Amino acid sequence: MSEINLERRIKRQAWVPEHRFFAVTAPGLEPLCAAELASPGVYDIQPEPGGVNFSAKLETAIQANLWLATAGRVWLRLKDFRVRLWEDLLRQADSVPWEVFITPGAPLNIQVSLIGSNLKHTGRVAEVVGQAAGKRLREMGLAPPVPAKPGDENAQRLQVRGSDRRASISLDMSGAHLHKRGWRAQGGAAPLREDLAAALLLHCGYDGSQPLLDPMCGSGTLVIEAAAMARRMPPGLGRAFAFESWPCHREAAWNYLKTQAVEQALGQPPALIMGRDSNASAVALARGNAELAGVGQGLVLEKGDFFAAEPPPGPGLVVMNPPYGKRLGSVRQAQEIARRLGQRLAEAYPGWRCGVVLYLPEWVELLGLKDTSVITAPFGGLKVTLLSGTVPQK
Ligand SMILES: C[S@@+](CC[C@H](N)C(=O)[O-])C[C@H]1O[C@@H](n2cnc3c(N)ncnc32)[C@H](O)[C@@H]1O
């Protein structure tokens, strides 16, 4: 096949049919991610523990990488099959159109996970799949992939999973974890992970139309995620993705998607977004991060003590990630803070919607909110509670 014909076939095979994908989320965030995915062109959305399966064309999955705020990574399922015998793996691995997605000559990291599978030997499974990819590329006159060196972050990541009688072969579309939006210069004392910040906002029903305050903004994660949502800016605009190095990648189509996203974004948030912190250097850090994220315009960031400062005109949504035991100060100190937070909320924020990241579920009571709803998710070796509620009217 001539080079031009091969290139045409590669593009057609990637861009014309629908494929199956899996968006990985932190356990607990699956329903939020499924709701984010629900849009034209996305079909058969099926959450399962740890992520959400969906079907879409490649262009839509590329947009999912760009737009998903609560996902960690998106896998393209190259194969999903029943395994009885070793030969089933050989046959399926041989039938993958590797030349469409695997960069010739590039490092390939094959991760294998087998739970109760007929396929017993992870090393051998990786070898077979790597050999199938190499053989196919060589047959096309292309350089085979090379095994990735340990810790090579830029290597293409392929995952083979076997569980009972089923197995799948998937290719990572995202590269670095999607919570890495590309704007964080420094973290500050205890930054919240971006997908959790987005999850808290979505859990509170935030859509950008109401005033928002984070009175303990630290490095600014919650206000930056809020500003991106309010201005309809994709969280992934400032970062690179693994699919950009695929042979089927269409640079012009990708640039068009990004340009379109920038053009439809609002220049300003439609309602107030304010971050405060009692620590002046945290405010400076939040300002720097907001500029790097491209959402500095219209964001109000100022020094202030939550227990002394008055709320901005509202009611709106007050979100916060107060200092908590394991990471800042002691547990008892943090419980005392939760109790005092509840008092201050009741005194100054009646009728406000409130979202809080808490270290212990027991603290839900200390805050005294009504109409509460919680999500728990792992974070930094802990299980944190994302609490949404309303501050009672006096
Ligand atoms: C866990 S950090 C917040 C991290 C932030 N969500 C981020 O992603 O970087 C808690 C923040 O609360 C601030 N803080 C503690 N007590 C405060 C108070 N009374 N008023 C305002 N800010 C306070 C600290 O300075 C710290 O930046």
Side-chain angles (χ1 to χ4, degrees), residues 183-184 186-194 197 214-223 276-280 282-283 285-286 289 303-308 320-324 327-328 337 340-341 357:
W183 54 257
R184 194 183 288 286
Q186 293 158 32
L192 187 59
R193 219 177 49 218
E194 293 78 350
D214 177 355
M216 299 187 170
C217 71
S219 65
T221 318
L222 279 160
V223 284
R276 285 184 180 142
D277 201 288
S278 53
N279 180 338
V283 178
L285 184 58
N289 282 335
K303 184 168 180 283
D305 184 335
F306 174 64
F307 300 101
M320 58 185 134
N321 168 213
Y324 52 88
R327 306 185 87 191
L328 295 176
I337 291 179
R340 287 183 60 215
L341 286 177
V357 183

Side-chain angles (χ1 to χ4, degrees), residues 46-373:
Q46 286 183 359
E48 66 173 52
V52 185
N53 297 284
F54 65 99
S55 296
K57 290 200 171 185
L58 184 62
E59 178 174 333
T60 309
I62 283 174
Q63 283 179 307
N65 272 275
L66 188 61
W67 282 95
L68 283 177
T70 58
R73 140 178 347 279
V74 180
W75 293 99
L76 161 65
R77 288 244 190 278
L78 295 171
K79 284 281 164 185
D80 190 351
F81 52 99
R82 222 176 119 74
V83 193
R84 264 187 336 111
L85 306 166
W86 187 252
E87 285 68 32
D88 294 328
L89 174 69
L90 298 180
R91 206 182 46 254
Q92 294 287 343
D94 277 345
S95 68
V96 172
W98 295 103
E99 70 284 4
V100 177
F101 301 106
I102 297 286
T103 313
L108 185 62
N109 176 359
I110 306 180
Q111 305 164 346
V112 181
S113 135
L114 303 174
I115 301 168
S117 171
N118 301 12
L119 306 168
K120 294 289 176 226
H121 196 300
T122 53
R124 182 78 187 110
V125 169
E127 204 177 291
V128 162
V129 173
Q131 279 168 357
K135 187 172 117 219
R136 175 111 176 182
L137 263 65
R138 257 188 242 101
E139 282 168 5
M140 309 262 158
L142 303 166
V146 295
K149 296 207 170 70
D152 180 354
E153 288 292 312
N154 295 321
Q156 270 194 298
R157 207 169 300 148
L158 193 68
Q159 188 188 59
V160 186
R161 298 189 75 163
S163 173
D164 301 321
R165 293 272 163 119
R166 289 209 76 78
S168 60
I169 303 176
S170 310
L171 185 64
D172 174 29
M173 292 191 78
S174 309
H177 194 291
L178 290 176
H179 81 73
K180 296 190 173 164
R181 316 284 202 221
W183 54 257
R184 194 183 288 286
Q186 293 158 32
L192 187 59
R193 219 177 49 218
E194 293 78 350
D195 54 336
L196 291 179
L200 180 66
L201 294 164
L202 294 172
H203 183 50
C204 293
Y206 182 67
D207 65 3
S209 62
Q210 64 272 60
L212 177 132
L213 168 71
D214 177 355
M216 299 187 170
C217 71
S219 65
T221 318
L222 279 160
V223 284
I224 291 170
E225 289 296 314
M229 279 181 198
R231 291 175 58 183
R232 317 275 181 260
M233 288 169 64
L237 203 55
R239 55 162 281 158
F241 296 89
F243 62 74
E244 290 176 71
S245 69
W246 290 0
C248 62
H249 183 59
R250 282 181 167 153
E251 191 61 21
W254 172 226
N255 286 335
Y256 176 71
L257 285 180
K258 288 193 288 185
T259 309
Q260 235 189 352
V262 171
E263 282 173 0
Q264 58 78 50
L266 307 177
Q268 293 266 351
L272 176 78
I273 300 180
M274 177 187 265
R276 285 184 180 142
D277 201 288
S278 53
N279 180 338
S281 36
V283 178
L285 184 58
R287 190 168 292 125
N289 282 335
E291 291 303 331
L292 286 173
V295 296
Q297 187 79 11
L299 204 63
V300 181
L301 293 163
E302 60 185 34
K303 184 168 180 283
D305 184 335
F306 174 64
F307 300 101
E310 288 305 315
L317 173 63
V318 53
V319 281
M320 58 185 134
N321 168 213
Y324 52 88
K326 289 259 169 85
R327 306 185 87 191
L328 295 176
S330 73
V331 173
R332 188 177 309 167
Q333 232 178 2
Q335 280 191 335
E336 182 50 28
I337 291 179
R339 197 171 289 111
R340 287 183 60 215
L341 286 177
Q343 276 169 6
R344 181 64 187 154
L345 285 168
E347 183 182 286
Y349 295 80
W352 281 62
R353 191 85 194 142
C354 180
V356 192
V357 183
L358 293 174
Y359 168 50
L360 289 173
E362 293 82 344
W363 297 353
V364 169
E365 301 300 317
L366 298 173
L367 287 170
L369 303 178
K370 61 172 193 171
D371 306 329
T372 54
S373 154

